[in-house]
Amino acid sequence: MSIETLTLLFFGSLLVFLLLGLPLAFVLGGVSIVFLYFTWGIESFYMVASQMWGSMNSFTLVAIPLFVLMAMILEKTGVAQDLYRMMHLWWGGVRGGLAIGTVAICTIFAAMVGISGAAVVTMGTIALPAMLARGYDKRLAIGCISAGGGLGILIPPSVLMILYSLITGVSVGKLFAAGVIPGIMLAVLLGLYIYLRCRIQPELGPALPPEERGDWIEKLRALRAVILPMLIVAMVLGSILFGLATPTEAAAVGVLGSLASAALHRQLAWPMVSESLLRTLRLTGMIIWILFAAHAFSAAYQGMGAQSFIEGLMAHIPGGKWGTIIFIQIVLFLLGMVLDPVGIMLITLPVFLPVVTALGFDPIWFGIMFIINMEIGYQTPPFGFNLFYLKGIVPQGITMGDIYRSVIPYTLVMIFGLILVMIFPALATWLPSKVM
Amino acid sequence: QEKISWRVQSHWPSASSSYKDSLMRLKERVAACTNGRLVLEPFEAGALFPAKEIFPAVRRGVIQMGTISPAYLPETVTTAGIASGLPFAFRNVWEAAYFHKQLGFEDMIRAEVAKQGVYYSTDKVYPTEMVVKTPIQSLDDLRKQKIRSSGALQRFLTATGAAASYLPGPELYPALSTGVVTGAHWGAAQGANSMGLYEVAKHHVRPALNIAGTDAFIVNQKALDALPPELRKCLIDELDEQFWMRTNEYQFQERVTLAKAIKQHGVQINQLPQEVLDHMTKVAAQQWEEEGKRGPEARKALDMLKKFLTELGYLD
Amino acid sequence: MRAVTRANGWIGRAISPLLLAMFVLLLAEVFFRYIAGAPKVWTGELTQMLFGVYAVLAGGYIMARGGHVNVDILYSRFSPRTRAIVDLITSSLFFVFLGALVYFGSSLAWESIEFWERSQSAWNPPIWPVKLAIPVGAILLLLQGLVKFVQDLRIALGLPPVDLGIETVEPGADS
Ligand SMILES: NC(=[NH2+])NCCC[C@H](N)C(=O)O
Ligand code: NA
Ligand code: NA
């Protein structure tokens, strides 16, 4: 069977079983096994156990449960609620203000972590209930968290950028620098979208009625709510910037900060901690089992000859340099819908990068577009980690369908950002040329 | 005529120079020698199996071939520790090559690995060198370093009084740039360059921490035996030739990369002062003895090594 | 069936505090390296080992709580009976995946136990217990999957499902 047919069947079965409601982890794992059986043989199932062992040893994953725990504690102790009350008092007059504020907090978060999931869980736990309670449209609220969380891999530090540099040999420092402006630009674009959308449809992100906005005394008093969160941010970011801790260790510093906040709120008690620990286990365990299976899935696809499929695709490239770049972005976008970004990088980069550089394009610029595309992939249905995180924490009554639909407009905004970087390469290349 | 295709899982990421220069080279040489009848299908690091799972996968015959570092070999291969590099033993690359090939060290490790049903062939011998943010000019400077290391070298560096800790690859660059660690080793010049380390650590330390056969090919013995004799001969011969060719070429590439780093990033060579050298050599010699305790084969290899180093005038 | 579910609930509660241990270890490493200037060889690796056990053993517990996410676009429109029937069919994928994981995970762990495998790092701890967590975690998940299979079978046949007593297991089973 040709790799083209196999690809179609492979992703086709993925889609069918997903729609039938089998949990993702088992769809990915089961489809991998069935296809490995027919293309390679039973002995290759060993690969699935091997990949699982590999994921258990992935250090970057350790940060995930820690950030989740931090979020759970902040939510349980009311620190988060206070923060959102403050935001509403101050920005109450701005329609969609809370959603814009959420994107802003995600941007700060992105500077602290190298993955996308951390901010999604934290904001999903803290910001989502706050927005829903104030009458925000659920799709507007969910989507801004998924999109904001994605900034984590574009604004340095970034685990995916490090992987990109390992596969391609491009300088990590330059990539980090190159991500800053597009990252901020995307955050601004997301905020702008929310602002405009809520201007047109005020019911999506209602402003606080003037009589509830409080007087100055109340506003100033509410400001105290930012002190603790700011302190945590300062601790986490400071520990990284001053060379105290690696990004993963900084996640532990974040937990420390949340425990300290709980203590200051006189809420530090074992039942609270133990319940947060259990919820953390459920959420991270769920995600990591998906990752286990996703890694097996990518490995199975590679074993079937994924790379020769990508090489084959390159033969159909439309004319011209720009045709190639656009074609590649479309392939990445499509793969992003069904594969884990790490798998996509392993499969496509060794094929794409030589082509891109041979055409005379800057690999740093290409890298930033690649990363933005992966960021989009984290939230495009059906397979996207940000979506699964959200599904794990949203209140009852919000379905996967809601989550899938919520990301559509935000995805369009991000594609717009991607096109801007494509048309104006200086957005990515200017900063690295200045600082290094 | 029948075409035989082998999956080869590499421990090199595709950006590493060895992926292209060692693995792809071998693939092309074997294809030429066999008229395209033996096809090596390379997979970059992590594609099918994580690095430490390559050996079990080859041993089981899930894949026919792989590349590894001897540090990933099971403990039952007692000479693996010597193959992956005793600190401060050889001073020149040719000495390590002579030890492997003429003195028969490679045959010893090959025999041990063969007991697992796997054929072992060293890709090349090459140095492992450190980069640091501030130069080491005294014993005190050494003790102030916080170095990212791993395995035997981590034990060694700790024993010298530096603070050596392990960080996974993805955390290395950020950690070095913010000063979580002040030094690191990742191969030598090419490795450091590929990880972007010269951007944030400008001092390249000489001499090498070790010089050793740190990259190797492994082949499932059954798969090898099942090859038609002429194909098998092609593969074995090419693997043999590969060692000399790559050991030499790698040295050249190290030079070129370091020269570039000096020019582009203002890197400086940090030659360790005599007091530091003496100290490190003394600590190293104690560590070698540990390797000897792993078994009779390791003991024999270590004695052979010490005799050789004495002949060279490095030990008395 | 109740025993399996209860065992998984118990394991969930037992392993969830492992995260606190990881937290303490990571902070300790920052302390040892930065304040004391003497990083320890064991902190990072021990954290990683705990993480592996933590993640793998959680599989069955999460299944018992219905926590493995799925795509519910069509699924939420099915009647409970249709759902049960569809689940019975799709569970074939679950069983081939878990079957492979149990068998090859055991084989991977067994090989490690045979040599009392160590990690080869500077600390060099035994790693076979962590590898052993793979088949153990897979078996726990597989058993919970069997429980669900029986439940679905009963629903499909129009019988009442067995009471697994999940409500009373713990506080905070809300999310
Ligand atoms: N395969 C991996 N190592 N993935 C790391 C990223 C995982 C996670 N979904 C995140 O970005 O939040
Ligand atoms: Na980031
Ligand atoms: Na996606």
Side-chain angles (χ1 to χ4, degrees), chain C residues 142-171:
Chain C
L142 182 65
L143 289 176
Q144 199 64 50
L146 282 170
V147 169
K148 173 154 168 44
F149 187 83
V150 174
Q151 291 285 43
D152 286 337
L153 203 58
R154 291 181 65 99
I155 298 171
L157 294 174
L159 300 170
V162 176
D163 174 19
L164 297 174
I166 291 182
E167 305 73 52
T168 58
V169 174
E170 76 207 27

Side-chain angles (χ1 to χ4, degrees), chain A residues 290-303:
Chain A
I290 295 177
L291 259 174
F292 287 155
H295 288 168
F297 190 79
S298 314
Y301 189 40
Q302 301 225 51

Side-chain angles (χ1 to χ4, degrees), chain A residues 58 60-61 64 115-117 291 295 340 342 378 385 389:
Chain A
S58 159
T60 47
L61 295 180
I64 294 176
I115 55 177
S116 70
L291 259 174
H295 288 168
D340 163 42
V342 176
Y378 271 115
F385 277 104
Y389 277 116

Side-chain angles (χ1 to χ4, degrees), chain C residues 7-168:
Chain C
N8 268 321
W10 185 83
I11 287 171
R13 263 166 296 146
I15 60 174
S16 66
L18 286 183
L19 183 55
L20 279 188
M22 294 182 234
F23 155 69
V24 171
L25 284 168
L26 285 171
L27 278 188
E29 177 67 356
V30 174
F31 175 83
F32 288 137
R33 188 182 50 230
Y34 194 79
I35 317 275
K40 298 279 177 272
V41 290
W42 45 271
T43 46
E45 199 173 0
L46 185 54
T47 307
Q48 190 72 58
M49 292 165 80
L50 290 177
F51 171 80
V53 172
Y54 175 84
V56 168
L57 293 189
Y61 166 71
I62 294 165
M63 179 116 189
R65 299 289 174 279
H68 287 290
V69 301
N70 65 349
V71 175
D72 53 10
I73 294 179
L74 291 180
Y75 196 74
S76 57
R77 299 191 191 149
F78 297 160
S79 72
R81 178 118 188 256
T82 317
R83 258 185 229 177
I85 295 171
V86 170
D87 284 353
L88 285 175
I89 299 168
T90 56
S91 70
S92 51
L93 277 194
F94 171 86
F95 287 113
V96 292
F97 175 44
L98 267 298
L101 212 48
V102 170
Y103 183 84
F104 286 92
S106 305
S107 158
L108 182 142
W110 174 244
E111 193 177 290
S112 177
I113 292 173
E114 249 179 331
F115 304 116
W116 303 113
E117 188 187 0
R118 293 176 163 272
S119 80
Q120 317 269 32
S121 67
W123 177 34
N124 203 23
I127 48 168
W128 58 267
V130 188
K131 284 195 171 173
L132 190 59
I134 297 178
V136 171
I139 288 171
L140 287 169
L141 179 52
L142 182 65
L143 289 176
Q144 199 64 50
L146 282 170
V147 169
K148 173 154 168 44
F149 187 83
V150 174
Q151 291 285 43
D152 286 337
L153 203 58
R154 291 181 65 99
I155 298 171
L157 294 174
L159 300 170
V162 176
D163 174 19
L164 297 174
I166 291 182
E167 305 73 52
T168 58

Side-chain angles (χ1 to χ4, degrees), chain A residues 7-351:
Chain A
T7 299
L8 218 63
L9 285 175
F10 194 54
F11 292 113
S13 344
L14 173 76
L15 230 62
V16 168
F17 281 93
L18 278 185
L19 281 178
L20 289 177
L22 182 66
L24 266 145
F26 312 141
V27 176
L28 291 164
V31 170
S32 311
I33 292 288
V34 171
F35 277 76
L36 280 175
Y37 177 79
F38 287 111
T39 59
W40 187 337
I42 289 184
E43 79 276 5
S44 69
F45 297 176
Y46 179 72
M47 202 165 73
V48 175
S50 264
Q51 283 288 344
M52 186 156 178
W53 174 239
S55 319
M56 286 163 76
N57 284 308
S58 159
F59 197 65
T60 47
L61 295 180
V62 177
I64 294 176
L66 291 166
F67 276 117
V68 174
L69 180 62
M70 180 186 87
M72 298 293 168
I73 294 174
L74 288 181
E75 194 237 0
K76 279 252 171 328
T77 53
V79 175
Q81 287 78 347
D82 288 355
L83 180 66
Y84 269 81
R85 207 178 89 81
M86 180 286 290
M87 276 169 50
H88 221 192
L89 280 176
W90 277 82
W91 300 15
V94 183
R95 289 174 193 159
L98 289 188
I100 297 173
T102 301
V103 172
I105 299 178
C106 283
T107 313
I108 298 174
F109 228 98
M112 306 194 292
V113 301
I115 55 177
S116 70
V120 174
V121 177
T122 312
M123 299 319 284
T125 311
I126 294 173
L128 188 60
M131 285 191 277
L132 294 179
R134 290 170 178 83
Y136 273 58
D137 175 64
K138 60 183 173 186
R139 289 192 201 146
L140 184 94
I142 297 170
C144 81
I145 292 171
S146 168
L151 296 173
I153 55 164
L154 182 57
I155 295 174
S158 161
V159 169
L160 281 195
M161 283 185 186
I162 291 170
L163 190 62
Y164 181 92
S165 85
L166 273 180
I167 300 175
T168 61
V170 165
S171 148
V172 200
K174 284 191 184 150
L175 268 177
F176 276 11
V180 174
I181 293 178
I184 295 171
M185 178 191 80
L186 265 186
V188 171
L189 286 177
L190 292 170
L192 213 59
Y193 159 74
I194 297 168
Y195 179 76
L196 292 176
R197 185 83 198 264
C198 291
R199 265 199 89 82
I200 302 167
Q201 292 169 280
E203 69 281 7
L204 297 184
L208 201 61
E211 63 277 13
E212 282 176 38
R213 283 179 208 161
D215 52 19
W216 280 105
I217 311 247
E218 212 172 325
K219 281 187 185 174
L220 287 176
R221 201 173 287 145
L223 265 190
R224 281 190 312 198
V226 268
I227 297 177
L228 287 178
M230 291 286 275
L231 223 61
I232 298 181
V233 169
M235 278 168 72
V236 174
L237 212 51
S239 68
I240 295 177
L241 293 180
F242 292 112
L244 275 166
T246 67
T248 302
E249 290 163 349
V253 174
V255 173
L256 183 67
S258 69
L259 287 174
S261 308
L264 286 173
H265 271 225
R266 298 181 196 288
Q267 301 246 355
L268 189 58
W270 177 245
M272 183 279 290
V273 175
S274 124
E275 199 184 318
S276 304
L277 284 170
L278 263 179
R279 291 182 64 191
T280 304
L281 177 71
R282 278 201 291 275
L283 190 60
T284 38
M286 175 272 281
I287 286 292
I288 288 162
W289 269 85
I290 295 177
L291 259 174
F292 287 155
H295 288 168
F297 190 79
S298 314
Y301 189 40
Q302 301 225 51
M304 279 155 44
Q307 219 153 59
S308 59
F309 173 66
I310 300 294
E311 275 160 13
L313 273 185
M314 297 307 278
H316 302 289
I317 292 186
K321 295 169 62 156
W322 290 97
T324 310
I325 290 288
I326 293 167
F327 180 76
I328 288 177
Q329 298 305 322
I330 292 172
V331 170
L332 290 177
F333 178 83
L334 293 176
L335 287 176
M337 296 175 75
V338 287
L339 272 180
D340 163 42
V342 176
I344 299 177
M345 290 187 126
L346 286 174
I347 294 168
T348 63
L349 272 178
V351 183

Side-chain angles (χ1 to χ4, degrees), chain B residues 27-289:
Chain B
K27 171 191 157 86
E28 273 149 35
R29 299 286 305 191
V30 168
C33 175
T34 62
N35 279 319
R37 285 169 62 206
L38 180 56
V39 180
L40 303 183
E41 200 189 328
F43 290 89
E44 69 197 299
L48 303 178
F49 292 94
K52 290 196 177 174
E53 280 291 302
I54 299 173
F55 186 82
V58 169
R59 197 176 54 68
R60 286 163 182 260
V62 185
I63 47 176
Q64 293 80 6
M65 189 167 167
T67 73
I68 58 164
S69 149
Y72 307 152
L73 286 169
E75 259 168 299
T76 41
V77 180
T78 62
T79 45
I82 296 174
S84 59
L86 295 184
F88 278 76
F90 304 116
R91 299 190 186 174
N92 299 290
V93 169
W94 68 262
E95 295 161 2
Y98 190 88
F99 179 68
H100 266 70
K101 294 292 186 181
Q102 271 93 336
L103 294 182
F105 174 70
E106 190 182 39
D107 288 336
M108 294 178 71
I109 183 168
R110 185 172 286 161
E112 277 199 299
V113 177
K115 289 188 202 142
Q116 314 258 339
V118 174
Y119 180 78
Y120 184 94
S121 181
T122 311
D123 177 55
K124 58 182 170 292
V125 290
Y126 65 96
T128 296
E129 290 164 2
M130 219 169 22
V131 295
V132 290
K133 288 169 85 93
T134 51
I136 301 172
Q137 260 134 17
S138 65
L139 265 179
D140 249 13
D141 289 346
L142 173 67
R143 295 201 176 102
K144 272 189 231 134
Q145 295 285 342
K146 290 183 274 185
I147 299 163
R148 185 272 177 202
S149 181
S150 61
L153 283 181
Q154 187 185 343
R155 278 195 298 270
F156 166 62
L157 288 169
T158 307
T160 64
S165 56
Y166 173 76
L167 295 173
E171 304 242 298
L172 173 52
Y173 178 90
L176 194 59
S177 68
T178 57
V180 171
V181 291
T182 60
H185 55 82
W186 191 275
Q190 294 175 73
N193 192 51
S194 77
M195 291 291 281
L197 304 188
Y198 287 133
E199 292 165 16
V200 287
K202 306 278 182 202
H203 301 272
H204 184 107
V205 179
R206 285 279 173 78
L209 293 173
N210 70 34
I211 300 174
T214 323
D215 287 327
F217 286 95
I218 48 174
V219 186
N220 179 283
Q221 188 68 47
K222 281 211 192 89
L224 189 61
D225 293 342
L227 286 179
E230 65 283 12
L231 299 198
R232 187 164 55 227
K233 183 171 180 335
C234 273
L235 181 62
I236 303 268
D237 288 352
E238 289 299 344
L239 279 171
D240 267 344
E241 197 215 81
Q242 173 102 351
F243 176 87
W244 298 105
M245 156 69 199
R246 281 296 289 148
T247 295
N248 199 337
E249 181 185 54
Y250 196 83
Q251 289 239 76
F252 164 71
Q253 290 168 329
E254 279 294 311
R255 271 292 153 137
V256 172
T257 308
L258 190 56
K260 252 196 219 142
I262 289 172
K263 228 177 166 169
Q264 282 176 1
H265 298 288
V267 170
Q268 293 176 359
I269 307 281
N270 175 195
Q271 201 73 43
L272 292 178
Q274 197 59 42
E275 82 170 318
V276 176
L277 269 180
D278 291 344
H279 171 69
M280 290 180 92
T281 311
K282 209 166 80 212
V283 175
Q286 289 158 4
Q287 289 239 316
W288 301 351
E289 293 311 314

